[in-house]
Amino acid sequence: MIAFDDLTYLHGKPPGQGLLKASPEDFLVVEDLGFAPDGEGEHLLVRILKNGCNTRFVADALAKFLKIPAREVSFAGQKDKHAVTEQWLCARLPGKAMPDLSAFQLEGCQVLEYARHQRKLRTGALKGNDFTLILREVSHRDDVESRLQAIQVAGVPNYFGAQRFGIGGSNLQGALRWAESAVPVRDRNKRSFWLSAARSALFNQIVSDRLKKPDFNQVVDGDALQLAGRGSWFVATEDELNALQSRVNNHELMITASLPGSGDWGTQRNALAFEQAAIGEETLLQQLLLREKVEAARRAMLLCPQNMRWSWWDDVTVELRFWLPAGSFATSVVRELINTAGDYANIAE
């Protein structure tokens, strides 16, 4: 398995260094659900601002304050403990009066607003996230500037960030041990983390191998293509490659790579053969995903940050802003800019 640091770069390995998170305030995330609360219903959506506490900790504290079981408070995704983040929590309060959250007190957490909603907020039910990052002690300013311009045009590899694999790759190592032993894992969190790490690592390797090709973004027979910003995909046939290539060049369509698992991978013919060869030696992880009946899926090979803009505070400090769709990693953008001394393993996106 290719180490995360050795995955292929789209714009070449950067020569510059810098700090990704000199302080939590240098990493700001604002969750974008893509919808507003209904204003009525048995659920309560609560928008919070937090710093120094993780999402699950805040959710449990809110449940205790509302006198409901912890399982009745949900959220779309985990957000980093060591960052300044805004996100929504959802509490189920059937038949209960509207609570007054002005009395809710938790160090490092502030309630910004809350309103009734008809449906439970489920994992992954968000449109994306707005990021504001401050990169400090940056070397090779001219190179970083040119990379920012290149990323604005061509994007970055849509890799799962190093934090997906745990501190020191612990989640991936857990998956490998599980695959070798075949002993059932009862802990639901471990199961989820390890299976996710296994599938993410295989996806990263497929993308890394494709990026080694000079024509990596050239549509080939059997590629699975995705409408930008959509989850659905369709298979390219040989007689329509030229027309599809034009739409890929315009970022209207995105070439996808496999999230391997059970069932149809989605690609066919030449594209399928390439993906199978890219991870052909990773039989343990593939067998684990099949054994645990994890369904195969697709994910865009490239990531194009939206509304990307930046400003240099001085020669060694740059403020970078962009929006990414749900499931994408800001660290995959930063990886193409500088070699960081940041705390990758603790950044949830």
Side-chain angles (χ1 to χ4, degrees):
M1 179 62 63
I2 301 174
F4 181 79
D5 289 343
D6 295 329
L7 294 171
T8 307
Y9 289 84
L10 178 57
H11 305 286
K13 185 176 176 62
Q17 305 286 330
L19 294 178
L20 172 60
K21 287 180 23 173
S23 70
E25 289 74 19
D26 285 352
F27 200 99
L28 172 64
V29 189
V30 178
E31 188 175 73
D32 177 10
L33 289 182
F35 61 86
D38 298 326
E40 57 183 19
E42 69 174 14
H43 298 278
L44 184 70
L45 285 182
V46 184
R47 187 165 68 96
I48 61 167
L49 174 67
K50 66 181 187 63
N51 184 350
C53 40
N54 64 43
T55 303
R56 183 74 264 172
F57 176 76
V58 178
D60 289 348
L62 180 62
K64 184 177 181 180
F65 176 82
L66 295 172
K67 296 181 173 58
I68 59 175
R71 66 176 180 274
E72 298 289 13
V73 178
S74 62
F75 40 83
Q78 296 271 6
K79 293 290 186 293
D80 181 25
K81 177 179 180 179
H82 304 289
V84 177
T85 65
E86 286 186 21
Q87 74 174 117
W88 292 87
L89 303 180
C90 178
R92 182 171 178 267
L93 301 171
K96 293 191 176 184
M98 187 71 165
D100 178 9
L101 293 187
S102 64
F104 177 64
Q105 300 291 327
L106 184 66
E107 185 177 358
C109 180
Q110 176 186 354
V111 173
L112 301 178
E113 62 175 306
Y114 55 99
R116 290 283 186 177
H117 194 61
Q118 294 184 3
R119 297 175 304 281
K120 177 181 178 179
L121 183 59
R122 300 188 181 277
T123 301
L126 71 158
K127 186 176 181 182
N129 293 290
D130 268 304
F131 292 91
T132 301
L133 311 182
I134 312 299
L135 305 181
R136 300 182 186 273
E137 299 182 24
V138 175
S139 67
H140 297 73
R141 171 176 169 162
D142 289 345
D143 177 77
V144 173
E145 176 66 27
S146 66
R147 286 171 178 274
L148 286 166
Q149 295 175 22
I151 289 170
Q152 196 172 41
V153 173
V156 300
N158 196 17
Y159 292 136
F160 288 94
Q163 59 270 37
R164 172 59 60 95
F165 307 109
I167 298 173
S170 57
N171 289 336
L172 187 56
Q173 293 304 315
L176 286 167
R177 290 194 303 272
W178 184 15
E180 289 174 336
S181 70
V183 175
V185 175
R186 305 298 182 189
D187 187 304
R188 291 180 61 186
N189 285 334
K190 283 185 178 180
R191 284 176 55 87
S192 176
F193 288 142
W194 291 355
L195 290 174
S196 179
R199 197 162 70 149
S200 299
L202 294 174
F203 170 89
N204 281 1
Q205 184 151 323
I206 291 171
V207 172
S208 181
D209 270 23
R210 181 141 183 174
L211 288 175
K212 292 175 182 176
K213 301 172 60 175
D215 58 349
F216 69 89
N217 209 30
Q218 186 77 30
V219 183
V220 302
D221 185 34
D223 261 332
L225 303 178
Q226 185 180 71
L227 280 168
R230 307 288 286 275
S232 58
W233 46 264
F234 63 92
V235 177
T237 58
E238 195 164 14
D239 60 351
E240 58 184 357
L241 294 184
N242 289 337
L244 293 174
Q245 187 62 52
S246 176
R247 298 174 68 187
V248 167
N249 293 342
N250 292 331
H251 300 302
E252 179 186 346
L253 294 176
M254 307 291 286
I255 298 174
T256 66
S258 178
L259 288 161
S262 62
D264 186 356
W265 282 18
T267 42
Q268 298 176 15
R269 300 178 294 279
N270 295 350
L272 177 59
F274 172 84
E275 291 189 335
Q276 290 174 334
I279 57 172
E281 297 182 2
E282 304 301 335
T283 54
L284 272 177
L285 293 181
Q286 291 193 66
Q287 289 169 0
L288 174 65
L289 294 170
L290 290 173
R291 190 179 77 207
E292 297 302 317
K293 297 180 174 59
V294 178
E295 290 189 12
R298 307 294 304 177
R299 175 181 171 93
M301 177 178 68
L302 296 181
L303 170 65
C304 297
Q306 298 180 27
N307 302 323
M308 184 174 170
R309 62 263 190 219
W310 61 91
S311 61
W312 289 90
W313 292 2
D314 52 44
D315 284 342
V316 296
T317 311
V318 61
E319 179 184 85
L320 175 60
R321 296 172 179 263
F322 51 83
W323 182 94
L324 297 181
S328 305
F329 288 75
T331 49
S332 292
V333 178
V334 175
R335 181 179 184 269
E336 292 280 334
L337 290 172
I338 55 173
N339 297 292
T340 70
D343 187 8
Y344 271 16
N346 289 318
I347 302 169
E349 300 165 65

